[in-house]
Structures are given as structure tokens and as C-alpha cells.
Amino acid sequence: MNRPKITLRPARVEDAPTIAMAIALAIGDEFALHDYCGDDYLAVLTEIARAEDTQYSWRYAMVAECEGCPAGAIVGYDGARLQELREGTFSILRREVGRVPNIDDETDAGEYYLDSVAVIPEFRGRGIGVALVDAFCERAFAEGAERVGLIVDCENPDAEKLYLSQGFERAGERLFFGHRMHHLQKTK
């Protein structure tokens, strides 16, 4: 049996729809998506991913392709830039939705933040998510980061187990959209 060829690469602006889908899948909560981005949340997330300086910009993303088809994406940035990048995101939300959500800070200075990662459902089970996280961490460390951080819902032990198997460790808890989240970090 031939394994399909998986390619990881830096995102391009035309990958914005794939990045938007990955963000929506990573958030996973339909109510939160509507609250955050309005009824046409995929179009709004695509606009945010097309922008230069937002939390979900194509500039801070990597895309996985399987046999030339978009299969998933990962987005992250220097945690010290959270407020600056969030303002870019909020600017688009103000224009497109007319409001911005009240969101707790999920990262801060001192870590390179893995904001969102997801594999499109038909491509799951092929190791793409693990490959995206590994490549993201390698890139962050190569750019001088000492640690990579992320949050995972305390009620999602399977996701936490996956990250722990990739070398992440618990570093505390945070609240995000009213959910208790484990804050995980991986050090260089």
C-alpha cells in the first residue's frame, strides 16, 4: 500500500480559505464561532487570514497538503505580539461583524504561541496534525524561541494526551471563552 505524499509548507495568501477552515475546526464550538465572527464566520475568518497582521494571518501559518490537496493548517506567533495581532483581527471584526468579543489572553511574552491547528476531516488519521505541530515547533525554535505554548480544553483529554506525547508539559491553566484550559509548553 502506498502512503499518500504529505507536504508541509509556509502558507500563501491564497491559502486563506484553508486557514479559515482550520481555525473553525480548531475552535470547534459553533456558538463561539457565531459569537466571534457572526453568521458567515468562514467568510470573516478567511478575510482575517488574508490580512497581513492578524492572529490568523497567512504570514504566521503553515499548510499541509496531501497529494496536492489542502489537508490542514497551523497558525502561531510570538506571544509578545498578541495585543498587536489581536487589534488587527478586531479591526476586521468591527468592520465585518460590528463588534468584537471579550476574550481572555491565551498567551503572553516569553512563548511562541501555537494558536490553532486542525486537519480537514477527510485527511485525519494520517499523522498530518503531528507533522504540523512538529514543523511549527521546529520553526519557532529555529527563529530563536525558547518555548512553544498552547492551550487545550481541560475537557479534551485526548488532545492533551497527543500534545504531551509530542513533548509538551502542563504549565498552568487559563480561561478562554469561559472554558478552563490547560496551558501546555514545550521547551527547546
Side-chain angles (χ1 to χ4, degrees):
M1 180 169 93
N2 290 338
R3 289 190 60 93
K5 182 176 178 162
I6 297 168
T7 305
L8 304 178
R9 61 171 175 75
R12 300 182 291 257
V13 69
E14 60 266 22
D15 293 314
T18 299
I19 297 164
M21 177 61 71
I23 294 162
L25 289 168
I27 292 171
D29 179 336
E30 198 78 19
F31 176 77
L33 286 164
H34 285 278
D35 187 45
Y36 189 58
C37 296
D39 291 337
D40 197 3
Y41 60 82
L42 278 177
V44 173
L45 287 170
T46 299
E47 187 65 27
I48 292 168
R50 270 193 192 102
E52 292 284 322
D53 283 314
T54 65
Q55 289 172 266
Y56 307 125
S57 174
W58 63 273
R59 294 179 59 205
Y60 311 114
M62 296 175 73
V63 170
E65 292 180 336
C66 186
E67 299 296 325
C69 296
I74 191 166
V75 183
Y77 43 83
D78 180 347
R81 296 189 64 209
L82 174 65
Q83 297 307 320
E84 167 196 349
L85 296 174
R86 185 174 278 170
E87 186 48 45
T89 302
F90 284 0
S91 173
I92 293 170
L93 290 174
R94 278 185 207 97
R95 184 182 73 233
E96 298 296 324
V97 185
R99 66 183 185 283
V100 297
N102 183 15
I103 301 175
D104 298 305
D105 290 351
E106 66 262 41
T107 187
D108 47 41
E111 73 179 9
Y112 206 89
Y113 184 62
L114 190 165
D115 190 299
S116 300
V117 60
V119 176
I120 295 170
E122 58 265 30
F123 295 101
R124 291 182 180 160
R126 301 178 191 192
I128 295 170
V130 169
L132 280 166
V133 171
D134 284 345
F136 178 85
C137 290
E138 287 175 22
R139 183 181 79 188
F141 294 143
E143 291 179 9
E146 293 293 321
R147 66 182 71 64
V148 173
L150 59 89
I151 56 174
V152 62
D153 197 312
C154 291
E155 295 180 20
N156 191 348
D158 291 338
E160 181 185 20
K161 184 178 177 182
L162 177 67
Y163 292 123
L164 293 174
S165 75
Q166 289 185 266
F168 286 85
E169 297 177 350
R170 281 191 189 173
E173 283 190 9
R174 294 184 186 251
L175 277 178
F176 189 69
F177 277 121
H179 294 274
R180 279 187 38 240
M181 308 291 263
H182 291 299
H183 179 210
L184 306 179
Q185 289 184 328
K186 181 176 184 174
T187 56
K188 189 172 182 179

